[in-house]
Amino acid sequence: MIKNLKKQNVWFVFTPYLWLVLFFFVPLALIFKISISVSEWGMPPYRDLFSFSENGFKINSTLGNYLFIFSDPFYIRSYLNSLSLAFTSTVLCLLIGYPIAFYVAKSKPSIRNILLIMLIIPFWSSFLLRVYAWKVLLQGSGIINSILIHIGLISEPISMLHNHYAVILGVVYTYLPFMILPLYGYLVKFDLNLIDASNDLGAKPLNTFVKVILPLSLPGIVAGSMLVFIPVVGEYIIPEMLGGSDKLYFGKIIWDEFFVNRDWPIASALAMSGIVILVFPIIIFQLMYAKYNFKNE
Amino acid sequence: MSEPFLQIIDVSKRFDNVVALDKVNLKIAKSEIFSLLGSSGCGKSTLLRIIAGFEKPDEGRILLEGKDITKLPPYVRPLNIMFQNYALFPHLNVTNNIQFGLKEEKISKEEINHRVNEILNLLELNGLEKRKINEISGGQQQRVALARCLVKKPKLLLLDEPLAALDKQLRVQTQFELVNLQYKLGITFIIVTHDQEEAMSLSDRMAIMKNGEILQVGNPVEIYEKPKDKYIANFIGTANIFNVLNKNNQIIIKELNYEVKNINNKENYVKCLIRPEKISVKKLENQSDNLNIGVVKEVAYLGSYTKYLIEVNGIEFYSFMQNSLVSDNLQIRWDDKVQISFNETSIYFFND
Amino acid sequence: MNKLFFKIFTLTIGFSFLYFPILTLIAYSFNDNKRVMVWKGFSFRWYKELFQNEQILEAFYTSLKIASLSATFATIMGVMIGFSLTRISKIPARPFFIFLSSSPLVMPEIILGLSLLLFFISSNHIIGFPSSKGQLTVLISHITFSVAFVAVIIQSRLSSYDKNIEEAAQDLGTIPNMIFWKVTAPVILPAILSGWLLAFTLSLDDLVVASFTTGPGANTLPIVVFSKVRLGLSPEVNALSAIIMLIVILAAISIYLINRSNIKK
């Protein structure tokens, strides 16, 4: 920007560069290394990748951890469970979030700002406590059971907690703002004249929605879906608090392999596979985003 | 006028207690170019949006060829609108924008292609078919917006500030193109504009609007020469307005202390208008204390003509002189004393 | 009118869904009963106990400290990244730098936490640093994942920023070294502030990464809360939720009012 800053540029670039290499890239490389190491008892609980002994230099590398994971339906199922949880809740968030974002964006500016603040409040408040709120609500003695008994729909409290439906509910609830806010960001920039123009040219409201509004909010849909899908794949807290033993998820498996089984190589291999599995949806999202993110001016 | 093409009857509209339109009545004939002219907030855009069907009037009716279309939604009205910012779909290319409306009608593919090609030729948009909207110039965008409407063969085309987004040179050129196009197609045009020059040069007739009311309807000559009141006189062109005294059957222009002799109608007019181009000034060689003598306060040379600001008896008014009529040795400069003259037939009397 | 009805219906249902759980939690925080869901009477009992619970208070203090430090460092580095990527073309292995500065955005926290923990352990083995897990390791981890978020905000602000104003400032006599402070910084200040705020919230809210990288004496608030509610309910946590909601709502309202008065001016 300014010629005199040239010397300062050096640390301007390299401070964050170095930081990210050291604390982001190296750790990732490290779990890759551990994922192809042989596990053993001790501290650290894996054999060094390279060793020198009387027999000379030796590489103790193995693909065994990966083979182990992918030959055990237990792990494969947990991946699939996580992906299907992420997919289901992304779709639900979109279905619930789109109309809300649409109507908030189309409100009068005075009301819109108040509604926007009301959307941001849950976004800011503690994630953990919002999950906890559902734990309270879904209890056997919780308020939803009480209401259902009161209106006579059920006679005995039913167990709503500790199953994968509760997990989906919790995920949709906590991640909904992540879907609504980017959608809102695109819809609020939306030129309302385009809707009028489409109507004027003979398109009925439904056609206007499908042919004009939906394609123009696609970047918002993609951004929102990405913000929900990706973190939900690795989600640990919600399944732990609201879920039961009916379905196990990838995040919890890593946690347990590490903290409970203390099997670092397996945990690392799980994490590496998780990254690989996530790379595909991310690339798809990025391509869609790039394709439809034309300038709206 | 026989059966009017479009009839607006007692249309009123309020937004949160603000009156946007107050009992507006208007008749527009087939194939005319009609302008709604007024400053911003006068209700002209609201009227256009009501005709298009985006807003429903609180009261009143809209008749198109005698049929009541007041309650029809915009997508079934046989008319189209060209938006001020064009409202072209940014996710579609030029062709897809143009055929957007046709696809909503039950027309065969061949017919659609045929009509799109026809309109591309008519508006000289060939070669841009596959371009995205943000890849073409402002003038091209304007023509795509026009094409998108015209391809539907509407009975009536509404144009909201059609030239506002273009730069000046392009605007003049496009004005002529619009008039030619309308002549060729015979479609009725209703144009909303705040630019009086644009309205004057485009329209067959125009309506001047203010505060949700129509002040005057007429052709450009009528409106310019015979404005109903001071507001219109000032809105269209430059106006020199003087007070009129009616003493002992003498009609006197007060500020100029000039008695109008040849006047038939001796009604009690209180004001009169003399357009600046109808007042001529002539440089005085020698000092004299003639009544019709003014002092030049400002001179603006504009090429084909010159604007002079003249002061007489403490009031100021304008005179525009064709430069071809002023000889070089009589060039008028600041603080020169000048003789003022005008033809009595150029005086237009009115009540405020 | 049908449309209006549908709009109000949608917004009412939507916002009820967002607020019903939170409001219930707040209501039950005044319940004078150890069994959370059985209403006994109104009381401030759990608020009193909350304010006497040293574990929670200490965790709260730790969280605030880590969050504000992490937000500050993350903002400084986020600004550096934003400027580097928008203004400096000659960056060695630029695509790699872009990859590094955006990947934390899409990295599941559980993998981030695991990788950082393994890194800290190994680094302790090899060079003896960090000597133990604790506040420092949590801080480093939080800075690492927050940097990317701040960088995104700063970058999007800088890309829509009119560089002419810097030239205008030079033309008006500002010496080059002062341009950043006198022109650039004030213009992107809102982006810097919202970046800081986001980094602060991310740190305050993080449970997973902190659980991996924490050590003795570095229990953050989410860790303590999680340990209390993982298996059951806790009336004290209800009270805590109510307080946090109150703070968030007050902050939101004040931001709304500041925005509104700015617009009016």
Side-chain angles (χ1 to χ4, degrees):
Chain A
M1 56 180 181
I2 301 150
K3 280 169 198 136
N4 305 42
L5 261 178
K6 276 271 160 65
K7 272 184 188 166
Q8 285 150 303
N9 279 351
V10 177
W11 60 262
F12 227 80
V13 176
F14 283 101
T15 313
Y17 206 151
L18 217 69
W19 182 283
L20 287 170
V21 167
L22 194 58
F23 295 117
F24 182 72
F25 186 71
V26 171
L28 281 183
L30 185 69
I31 54 171
F32 176 68
K33 179 194 145 192
I34 295 175
S35 76
I36 52 169
S37 301
V38 180
S39 79
E40 65 176 15
W41 285 104
M43 190 65 209
Y46 62 92
R47 201 176 298 158
D48 241 330
L49 211 47
F50 313 104
S51 62
F52 299 94
S53 62
E54 299 114 33
N55 306 336
F57 178 72
K58 199 179 161 211
I59 301 174
N60 306 306
S61 142
T62 174
L63 285 175
N65 302 313
Y66 289 97
L67 289 175
F68 177 69
I69 293 171
F70 286 106
S71 61
D72 190 339
F74 172 78
Y75 294 111
I76 296 173
R77 219 180 298 129
S78 80
Y79 276 120
L80 293 178
N81 284 343
S82 280
L83 287 174
S84 99
L85 172 69
F87 181 76
T88 315
S89 36
T90 304
V91 171
L92 287 173
C93 279
L94 183 61
L95 291 179
I96 301 171
Y98 197 101
I100 299 178
F102 183 77
Y103 285 123
V104 170
K106 269 186 72 180
S107 302
K108 280 184 216 154
S110 54
I111 298 173
R112 192 173 69 208
N113 287 336
I114 294 172
L115 292 178
L116 183 61
I117 289 291
M118 284 177 65
L119 285 178
I120 290 174
I121 286 173
F123 182 75
W124 271 0
S125 57
S126 164
F127 181 90
L128 181 58
L129 291 178
R130 284 189 293 142
V131 180
Y132 169 69
W134 279 104
K135 191 168 184 174
V136 172
L137 286 172
L138 295 176
Q139 286 289 316
S141 58
I143 196 160
I144 293 181
N145 262 315
S146 312
I147 293 172
L148 290 179
I149 292 173
H150 193 80
I151 32 177
L153 229 61
I154 52 173
S155 54
E156 289 280 302
I158 51 172
S159 163
M160 289 182 282
L161 211 53
H162 304 306
N163 57 57
H164 71 277
Y165 297 108
V167 174
I168 293 175
L169 179 65
V171 169
V172 170
Y173 177 70
T174 40
Y175 282 92
L176 190 56
F178 292 88
M179 177 65 85
I180 294 180
L181 290 174
L183 277 176
Y184 169 84
Y186 274 88
L187 287 169
V188 78
K189 279 189 294 183
F190 193 88
D191 180 3
L192 290 179
N193 276 338
L194 294 177
I195 297 178
D196 283 347
S198 165
N199 276 333
D200 180 67
L201 294 166
K204 295 190 180 74
L206 183 67
N207 273 356
T208 299
F209 182 75
V210 174
K211 287 184 167 180
V212 179
I213 302 173
L214 207 56
L216 282 172
S217 52
L218 208 59
I221 295 176
V222 172
S225 301
M226 220 163 137
L227 284 179
V228 176
F229 189 90
I230 291 162
V232 172
V233 171
E235 183 58 47
Y236 165 75
I237 302 172
I238 299 173
E240 179 66 13
M241 283 184 60
L242 303 178
S245 48
D246 58 339
K247 279 193 179 177
L248 285 173
Y249 298 96
F250 161 67
K252 185 170 163 50
I253 300 289
I254 292 190
W255 183 285
D256 286 350
E257 284 298 337
F258 186 81
F259 285 112
V260 182
N261 295 346
R262 302 194 51 78
D263 193 336
W264 293 14
I266 290 289
S268 302
L270 280 167
M272 287 314 294
S273 333
I275 293 175
V276 171
I277 286 170
L278 267 180
V279 163
F280 293 107
I282 291 172
I283 289 174
I284 293 168
F285 279 134
Q286 291 284 3
L287 287 178
M288 281 172 72
Y289 194 74
K291 189 175 170 198
Y292 288 99
N293 199 21
F294 30 74
K295 290 195 174 67
N296 217 346
E297 283 97 4
Chain B
M1 201 186 291
S2 60
E3 169 80 344
F5 180 68
L6 180 77
Q7 225 177 328
I8 292 158
I9 305 166
D10 285 335
V11 165
S12 296
K13 179 77 184 173
R14 299 164 159 274
F15 293 110
D16 297 333
N17 292 328
V18 178
V19 179
L21 290 176
D22 190 12
K23 291 219 178 283
V24 168
N25 281 286
L26 209 54
K27 285 175 185 168
I28 291 164
K30 198 166 173 63
S31 300
E32 78 174 327
I33 303 187
F34 192 93
S35 293
L36 296 168
L37 180 62
S39 48
S40 64
C42 72
K44 57 188 194 297
S45 295
T46 307
L47 184 55
L48 200 72
R49 289 178 62 79
I50 285 179
I51 299 173
F54 303 135
E55 309 278 354
K56 298 272 173 285
D58 297 336
E59 285 160 46
R61 293 185 304 148
I62 314 275
L63 304 185
L64 184 68
E65 292 183 312
K67 266 182 283 177
D68 191 332
I69 60 162
T70 321
K71 294 214 164 67
L72 292 184
Y75 45 86
V76 297
R77 295 191 185 200
L79 52 87
N80 288 106
I81 179 168
M82 191 181 121
F83 290 84
Q84 180 175 1
N85 63 358
Y86 311 138
L88 294 170
F89 302 117
H91 60 301
L92 302 178
N93 63 22
V94 168
T95 308
N96 286 334
N97 260 286
I98 294 174
Q99 64 186 19
F100 186 95
L102 287 182
K103 282 190 170 172
E104 295 299 329
E105 296 173 24
K106 298 251 181 306
I107 308 179
S108 69
K109 248 195 163 155
E110 294 79 39
E111 173 74 8
I112 292 181
N113 288 338
H114 173 70
R115 274 166 73 174
V116 169
N117 279 331
E118 206 175 51
I119 210 80
L120 285 168
N121 285 330
L122 182 68
L123 289 166
E124 291 163 19
L125 285 164
N126 307 79
L128 302 175
E129 292 90 341
K130 295 277 168 273
R131 297 273 192 93
K132 277 276 175 70
I133 294 311
N134 58 4
E135 294 166 352
I136 58 177
S137 73
Q140 288 165 340
Q141 287 181 7
Q142 198 251 12
R143 277 182 282 149
V144 174
L146 204 54
R148 190 175 70 172
C149 294
L150 292 177
V151 80
K152 298 251 316 173
K153 301 193 171 152
K155 291 181 172 169
L156 171 63
L157 182 63
L158 311 173
L159 301 102
D160 189 0
E161 305 275 4
L163 309 172
L166 303 177
D167 52 41
K168 190 159 183 189
Q169 240 174 348
L170 202 53
R171 213 174 329 172
V172 177
Q173 187 199 333
T174 314
Q175 266 178 22
F176 288 112
E177 283 172 8
L178 266 184
V179 175
N180 283 336
L181 201 63
Q182 194 271 343
Y183 183 75
K184 234 185 272 179
L185 301 172
I187 299 173
T188 313
F189 275 21
I190 299 180
I191 299 172
V192 152
T193 177
H194 68 279
D195 182 332
Q196 42 108 352
E197 260 180 57
E198 194 174 298
M200 300 273 284
S201 56
L202 283 174
S203 13
D204 297 322
R205 289 194 308 143
M206 55 207 257
I208 313 289
M209 293 187 69
K210 186 190 174 191
N211 297 337
E213 285 178 80
I214 290 184
L215 300 181
Q216 188 174 0
V217 179
N219 65 40
V221 179
E222 278 167 359
I223 304 250
Y224 185 77
E225 301 291 345
K226 293 170 179 167
K228 251 188 190 164
D229 64 20
K230 198 173 150 184
Y231 176 82
I232 300 172
N234 274 314
F235 194 75
I236 305 287
T238 311
N240 297 317
I241 291 168
F242 304 103
N243 289 309
V244 175
L245 293 178
N246 204 332
K247 266 196 299 203
N248 318 327
N249 248 6
Q250 276 185 310
I251 305 273
I252 291 164
I253 299 176
K254 189 181 154 201
E255 289 85 350
L256 301 175
N257 209 355
Y258 175 90
E259 190 194 339
V260 185
K261 288 154 201 128
N262 296 324
I263 185 162
N264 309 325
N265 190 348
K266 296 210 170 177
E267 244 182 275
N268 262 340
Y269 289 115
V270 294
K271 288 240 152 64
C272 74
L273 160 76
I274 310 174
R275 291 289 183 188
E277 69 277 8
K278 288 166 183 162
I279 297 179
S280 55
V281 289
K282 199 175 152 198
K283 194 166 171 177
L284 283 175
E285 290 304 324
N286 44 351
Q287 302 284 338
S288 81
D289 281 329
N290 194 307
L291 284 174
N292 287 344
I293 284 178
V295 179
V296 176
K297 306 299 280 186
E298 268 173 37
V299 179
Y301 180 80
L302 296 172
S304 65
Y305 69 101
T306 306
K307 285 183 176 185
Y308 301 100
L309 182 65
I310 315 287
E311 191 205 299
V312 173
N313 301 335
I315 67 127
E316 288 175 342
F317 58 89
Y318 282 100
S319 160
F320 299 167
M321 293 282 286
Q322 285 296 318
N323 288 334
S324 57
L325 300 177
V326 183
S327 52
D328 284 348
N329 54 348
L330 287 174
Q331 276 281 329
I332 300 168
R333 297 200 172 75
W334 265 31
D335 290 337
D336 279 350
K337 293 216 164 148
V338 288
Q339 167 134 36
I340 300 147
S341 59
F342 48 83
N343 198 322
E344 280 195 1
T345 53
S346 323
I347 307 171
Y348 171 68
F349 293 94
F350 63 101
N351 283 314
D352 199 17
Chain C
M1 283 307 100
N2 210 358
K3 264 189 201 164
L4 185 68
F5 171 78
F6 192 66
K7 173 180 177 175
I8 291 173
F9 179 79
T10 306
L11 289 178
T12 313
I13 296 284
F15 280 97
S16 306
F17 178 58
L18 282 176
Y19 279 86
F20 173 67
I22 304 174
L23 295 178
T24 316
L25 211 54
I26 294 176
Y28 277 94
S29 71
F30 298 106
N31 182 12
D32 187 18
N33 193 339
K34 191 133 187 77
R35 292 184 59 203
V36 169
M37 293 310 293
V38 182
W39 185 262
K40 200 167 137 196
F42 183 89
S43 96
F44 283 109
R45 177 177 158 197
W46 303 112
Y47 290 85
K48 272 181 217 141
E49 295 207 3
L50 179 70
F51 284 109
Q52 283 158 4
N53 187 328
E54 294 214 350
Q55 194 197 8
I56 287 185
L57 290 180
E58 199 184 317
F60 183 63
Y61 174 69
T62 308
S63 269
L64 277 187
K65 195 167 72 180
I66 291 176
S68 44
L69 282 173
S70 145
T72 307
F73 284 113
T75 305
I76 294 170
M77 282 198 285
V79 171
M80 288 174 171
I81 294 175
F83 268 91
S84 305
L85 287 180
T86 48
R87 299 293 184 84
I88 301 167
S89 47
K90 281 183 190 164
I91 299 176
R94 190 186 164 89
F96 181 58
F97 187 42
I98 294 172
F99 163 79
L100 282 181
S101 63
S102 59
S103 300
L105 290 173
V106 293
M107 188 57 66
E109 47 191 354
I110 195 124
I111 297 175
L112 207 67
L114 178 69
S115 68
L116 278 160
L117 171 57
L118 294 176
F119 170 76
F120 289 137
I121 293 172
S122 305
S123 143
N124 173 277
H125 263 264
I126 298 164
I127 58 165
F129 175 86
S131 56
S132 69
K133 287 183 291 156
Q135 295 189 4
L136 181 66
T137 48
V138 177
L139 176 64
I140 291 174
S141 313
H142 282 187
I143 293 172
T144 306
F145 72 72
S146 305
V147 161
F149 288 87
V150 183
V152 166
I153 293 178
I154 301 290
Q155 266 186 75
S156 71
R157 180 69 192 89
L158 280 176
S159 62
S160 64
Y161 162 95
D162 181 8
K163 261 197 239 176
N164 284 338
I165 64 170
E166 282 174 11
E167 282 159 11
Q170 256 179 314
D171 179 59
L172 294 169
T174 312
I175 56 164
N177 286 337
M178 290 307 289
I179 284 177
F180 177 81
W181 299 109
K182 285 200 163 177
V183 181
T184 320
V187 172
I188 64 165
L189 190 66
I192 293 177
L193 286 179
S194 54
W196 191 91
L197 210 61
L198 181 62
F200 184 79
T201 327
L202 285 172
S203 164
L204 215 52
D205 219 23
D206 169 65
L207 167 66
V208 174
V209 175
S211 296
F212 275 100
T213 53
T214 191
N219 281 337
T220 62
L221 192 58
I223 293 176
V224 172
V225 170
F226 188 58
S227 72
K228 280 184 167 302
V229 299
R230 187 177 194 166
L231 298 173
L233 306 181
S234 153
E236 281 169 319
V237 172
N238 292 357
L240 182 69
S241 313
I243 292 173
I244 288 177
M245 280 310 298
L246 186 73
I247 295 172
V248 170
I249 288 171
L250 286 179
I253 289 174
S254 49
I255 285 175
Y256 168 72
L257 292 176
I258 292 167
N259 271 345
R260 203 175 60 166
S261 67
N262 278 349
I263 289 165
K264 273 189 181 160
K265 271 177 211 162

